[in-house]
Amino acid sequence: MKINVEVNGRQRLLDVQNGDYLLEVLRAADCLSVRRGCDSTSCGVCTVLVDGKPVPSCSYLAIRADGHRITTVEGIAAEAENLANHFGAEGADQCGYCNPSFALVAYALKQTNPDATDDEIREWLVGNLCRCSGYQSQLLAIRHYLEDRS
Amino acid sequence: MPAMRIENVFRAASVEEAYKEYQRDKTSVLFGGGAWIKLTLKEVANAILIDGLGLDEVLETPDAFEIGPMCTLAKIVSHPGLGILHDGILPQACHQVMGIAVENIATIGGSVMGGFAFSDVITPLLAMDAKLLFHKHEPMAIADFLAKRAGFRDILVGINVPKTEGRGYFHKIAKTRLDFAILNIAIVNVNGLYAIAVGARPGIAKLAVAAMDRLNEIHPVGQYDIENAAAAAIEELEFGGNNRASAEYRRSLAKTYILRGLKEVTFDENQR
């Protein structure tokens, strides 16, 4: 079947199987920033935004995305670059596998609550695992990103 | 993890249409949530979707909140009225289910109808005396539903949570923030009427009815009474062991946290 979705600002008609998850469908649609991790909603690496809200694409049935707006890192390139600079400055970037998910969560947080406290940032990052860092560097980078209104 | 195989998708245009299909095809599965379906089902002959039927809002009446089954946990977490009711134990519980992304796909209806033993959502609903509203059946206390849910084929259309004034307590014990609970406890005190619910024992959440009855006969309740009630609660509830915790450990945790919860909903801060 086909689903009609807006992916990164562009209307797309995507071919999906009934049991496909958004993760596979988006990767097949060349959104390769969307990555497979635990495949069971636990790690957050596959996070994308559906109508501006973070969701785990590994567990979101593609047929349910019909008519919705999907954002991946490819769709927020300038914001992601800004965040990447803060990640670099704080040494928050090591293997980089989880970076797209952190970028999307930080971006969604900035849209929702640009004045988030450190505790609120931590709350938003609960579902996003990073196996390289101790999270403090990401916390600082995201705080600076939120403060950066340029 | 291999993709789920779904032979057919039925997009219902109304609750009645979904209900008819659900009855017609007894192998069909109602997709009312999203978070755990993948972990429980691999092959589905007929998936009934009830997205877009307006079942995702929290309505407020003078006496109750009526939560749509497709309401995400995120919506409950940010709902101002539910944030006050019984000290906000329902949003507190919902907010402790994984992270923000899962909160955006997990629904309260999925949590209830799934009847998951690890559920953090069912426990406060039990303590808050929530009623389940079905398309065809009469409203049902959540405890009654849990007792007879095997083979139950109706569509949940709302969860009625009475707007009673009282204190509430919720506590989840888990090894990490992203893990399932080792135990969760919800306690509500409405004008001296107590409800004590304990979940993830690891069986599905249950009310400690005998302990509640004993406590509800006493006015005013003192320290000695709540100690007795906590002891009675762990006597009447069954605790089991699994790879997260032993039965003994759960029982010990339950006694401690029931006692703390009862103190919290009974006494002022300086009396505890």
Side-chain angles (χ1 to χ4, degrees), chain B residues 2-232:
Chain B
M4 189 192 304
R5 279 186 42 199
I6 302 175
E7 291 294 318
N8 181 58
V9 173
F10 183 88
R11 283 182 188 278
S14 66
V15 174
E16 176 63 16
E17 199 177 275
Y19 179 81
K20 280 184 178 160
E21 181 66 7
Y22 199 36
Q23 302 310 316
R24 185 196 66 77
D25 179 358
K26 299 291 185 196
T27 67
S28 61
V29 177
L30 199 69
F31 275 41
W36 309 123
I37 287 173
K38 183 178 188 177
L39 303 182
T40 52
L41 295 170
K42 297 292 171 246
E43 303 219 356
V44 176
N46 188 14
I48 302 174
L49 296 189
I50 54 170
D51 306 44
L53 300 185
L55 297 173
D56 59 347
E57 297 297 332
V58 180
L59 305 176
E60 189 170 356
T61 69
D63 305 319
F65 291 101
E66 205 174 296
I67 308 172
M70 295 295 283
C71 186
T72 62
L73 302 189
K75 268 191 182 176
I76 292 169
V77 168
S78 61
H79 192 275
L82 291 170
I84 296 168
L85 187 68
H86 303 143
D87 295 313
I89 60 171
L90 185 58
Q92 279 175 43
C94 291
H95 195 43
Q96 291 179 44
V97 178
M98 313 289 285
I100 296 279
V102 172
E103 276 178 28
N104 283 325
I105 62 167
T107 64
I108 191 162
S111 300
V112 170
M113 298 305 281
F116 302 114
F118 55 75
S119 174
D120 296 318
V121 178
I122 290 174
T123 313
L125 287 173
L126 268 172
M128 296 168 93
D129 195 24
K131 302 274 184 302
L132 305 184
L133 312 175
F134 290 101
H135 183 54
K136 293 291 180 187
H137 284 75
E138 291 296 310
M140 197 180 295
I142 188 166
D144 294 341
F145 167 74
L146 293 175
K148 61 176 166 190
R149 71 183 185 89
F152 188 86
R153 287 184 82 80
D154 199 346
I155 296 179
L156 184 69
V157 294
I159 298 168
N160 180 291
V161 184
K163 279 164 69 175
T164 47
E165 283 200 23
R167 301 292 313 276
Y169 169 89
F170 177 79
H171 193 79
K172 170 183 179 175
I173 301 129
K175 289 187 176 176
T176 72
R177 174 66 189 261
L178 295 179
D179 200 3
F180 293 131
I182 290 173
L183 197 77
N184 55 43
I185 291 161
I187 302 177
V188 165
N189 172 10
V190 176
N191 296 323
L193 287 177
Y194 289 81
I196 304 167
V198 183
R201 298 168 292 103
I204 197 161
K206 260 189 179 175
L207 289 168
V209 177
M212 287 158 49
D213 287 347
R214 188 184 292 192
L215 210 48
N216 292 341
E217 286 172 2
I218 304 165
H219 298 286
V221 167
Q223 173 75 23
Y224 174 78
D225 306 312
I226 62 173
E227 283 174 12
N228 274 345

Side-chain angles (χ1 to χ4, degrees), chain A residues 1 18-19 21 39-42 53-56 58-61 63-64 66 123-124 126-127 129, chain B residues 1 3-4 6-7 9 11 31 33-34 36 38-39 51 70 95 98 100-102 104-105 177-178:
Chain A
M1 70 182 293
N18 287 337
Y21 290 95
D39 220 7
S40 59
T41 71
S42 300
K53 293 176 182 166
V55 303
C58 76
S59 299
Y60 193 97
L61 276 174
I63 50 175
R64 290 187 129 153
D66 192 24
E123 281 296 315
W124 274 65
V126 159
L129 299 185
Chain B
M1 194 175 284
M4 189 192 304
I6 302 175
E7 291 294 318
V9 173
R11 283 182 188 278
F31 275 41
W36 309 123
K38 183 178 188 177
L39 303 182
D51 306 44
M70 295 295 283
H95 195 43
M98 313 289 285
I100 296 279
V102 172
N104 283 325
I105 62 167
R177 174 66 189 261
L178 295 179

Side-chain angles (χ1 to χ4, degrees), chain B residues 167-169 187-189 194 260-267:
Chain B
R167 301 292 313 276
Y169 169 89
I187 302 177
V188 165
N189 172 10
Y194 289 81
R260 285 188 194 176
L262 286 172
K263 280 183 184 174
E264 197 165 310
V265 301
T266 303
F267 305 127

